[in-house]
Each structure stands twice: as C-alpha cells, then as structure tokens.
Amino acid sequence: MLVVRTIPALRQALHSGAAAAAPAFVPTMGNLHEGHLALVRQARAAVGPGVPVVASIFVNRLQFGPQEDFDRYPRTFERDCELLQGAGCDVVFAPDEAELYPEPQTVKVQPPAALADVLEGAFRPGFFVGVCTVVLKLFNAVQPGVAVFGKKDMQQLLVVRHMVRQLALPVQVLAGETARAEDGLALSSRNGYLSAEERAEAPALVQALRALAAAVQAGRRDFAALEAEAQQALLSRGWAPDYVALRRQADLGLPQAAGGASDGPLVVLAAARLGRTRLIDNLELPALS
Ligand code: PAF
C-alpha cells in the first residue's frame, strides 16, 4: 500500500499508465473503524482486480464550525494505515492542509438550501458547503470512477449525490450500509469521546429511531407528534436532541400528512448530544401504502 501526500504524487501513482482504470475511492477523516473498512471492502468489490482502491485521510477544517471539535478530532494515522491495508486499500492519500488549501478557499460549492440547510445544515451552518467543496477537490485529485459514502451520514450522501448529478461529475456514488455495534449503536469516530457511562446510554438514540419507525409501520400517521415523542424520550434520559425527523428519502422533504406511497421510501434521522458528544443516526423505512 502506497501513502502519498501530494496531488502530483497521487496523479503519478494512479494515472500514469496509458490505459489506467479510474480508481475506486473512499474519502475519510481518519480515526477509522469497521464502518470505514466495510466501505473500503465495498469499493474493492465494486471494481475489478487490478483497479486501485484509494482512501483519503484528511480532517477538513472547512466543514467544522468555530465551536466544533476540529482540534480534538482524533488523529490516528499509523493505525488507520494498518487497517486500510488489511481492508484491501492500495493507495492512501493523506494531504496536509497546505496541499489541499494552499490559499484561502474562496471558491466553494454551495448545495441547495432545501437539501443542505435543513437538519444537520440547520445546526451546523456551512457544514455541507465544507463537505461539498472538499469532496469536489478530492474527486479532482483522485479522479475516481466510483466513490463510496456511508449511509450513516445519510444527508451527506444525498447532498453529494445531488452535487455529482448537477455538476455532471463522472463518478458513480455508492452507498454503504451503516455498521453497528452489537447493542445497535452506529459506529462513529465520535463514539470514542463517550465515557463508559455515556457509551452504555448511547444505543438509546437508535432505540428512539426504531420506536418511531415501528409506530409508523404500525399505522400511526401523526408524524410531528411522533417526532416530538422521540425527542422527549431522549430528553428525559438526559440527552439534548437537535432533531428527530421523518423525511422522504429522495429529497429530505416532509412526507404527506397522511403518508402515502407517492412519498417513496422514508428515512427517520436524529442528532442529539450526550454530554459533550454529538451523535447522529438514521433508519430507512419502506414507502408507506
Ligand atoms: O464523512 C466524512 O468523513 C467527511 O465528511 C468526508 C466525506 C470525508 C469529507 O471531509
């Protein structure tokens, strides 16, 4: 496995052969866990043998708000490289900030408000501008044919797909299933911030989502009340919920009040703080009849 730090070195490694195939790509911010490794294995399976799989490791300052955890975001580069090698990655692209942002980034990708200023975007202003801008730069550096994004960050996946479609980027975006611990907690680099007590409490987030999804599937259609109940359940356990929201999977729009097949598949998304740690999760629901 090759580790490269610069865009010219990456281009040299990937695109120097006459008929070099477009690589498969998994962008990450490092501090890898089984969820990331599953994305790398999915990337490996999506392209034939001999086609390189590239993972990037870059903690992107542009997507962190001023009060967020950029400085304390865990950096575990050596271990990440060992894990990536074991998962079948061929090239790690690990630029420093000066390589990816050699000058202030004044040209930015502005995703549409309806998709990017709601939910995560409402609580993390500028987050998806930062994500889209770095993902586009990484795509330009790697020039992948396929890129894999986890469903754990469902809104990010939808925003990136929208960008790819609107900018006609020649990249097929694949979605990776959310990896979960045995007790249901979605794997996340931020789980590492949790104390033992908080870690024991953390599965309550997915439990709240499951309860809401089960109520909808059992026929309840008072969606706003269900969202409020889920938030209240988290509040009463000591969480500070930002949102619990039932939305259309296609565009994160509100489902019709009575629900219906025309909404297509739904998704219930949540973000909540447990102590100092903000966790997000979501569950997909089939279309309602
Ligand atoms: O999901 C992430 O880890 C990041 O948002 C990404 C896609 C690597 C962009 O920095």
Side-chain angles (χ1 to χ4, degrees), residues 27-30 36 56 58-60 63 73 127 130-131 134-135 138 149 153 156 160:
T28 84
M29 298 204 301
H36 296 108
S56 61
F58 181 69
V59 186
N60 175 38
Q63 72 191 67
Y73 199 84
F127 173 68
V131 168
V134 82
V135 167
L138 290 168
F149 289 79
D153 298 296
Q156 169 172 279
V160 167

Side-chain angles (χ1 to χ4, degrees), residues 2 10 65 106 108 111 119 126 130 159 201 203 225 254 258 274 277 289:
L2 203 62
L10 182 68
T106 50
K108 296 178 183 169
L119 305 171
V159 169
E201 169 59 23
L254 289 172
L274 186 56
T277 306
S289 48

Side-chain angles (χ1 to χ4, degrees), residues 3 14 23 49 68 79 92 95 130 135 140 161 165 168 193 197 204 253 258:
V3 177
L14 293 176
E68 291 184 357
R79 184 166 175 276
V92 177
V135 167
N140 285 336
R161 282 195 155 143
R165 205 168 55 242
Y193 299 150
E197 200 185 326

Side-chain angles (χ1 to χ4, degrees), residues 29 59-71 73 124-127 130 190:
M29 298 204 301
V59 186
N60 175 38
R61 189 188 293 273
L62 217 57
Q63 72 191 67
F64 286 77
Q67 311 303 325
E68 291 184 357
D69 55 349
F70 177 78
D71 288 322
Y73 199 84
R124 306 183 66 186
F127 173 68
R190 292 190 167 94

Side-chain angles (χ1 to χ4, degrees), residues 211-237:
L212 192 155
V216 171
Q217 286 184 303
R220 275 185 67 179
R221 295 292 179 265
D222 48 345
F223 300 143
L226 281 171
E227 292 171 356
E229 281 171 29
Q231 294 203 40
Q232 190 51 49
L234 288 167
L235 256 174
S236 66
R237 303 179 65 102

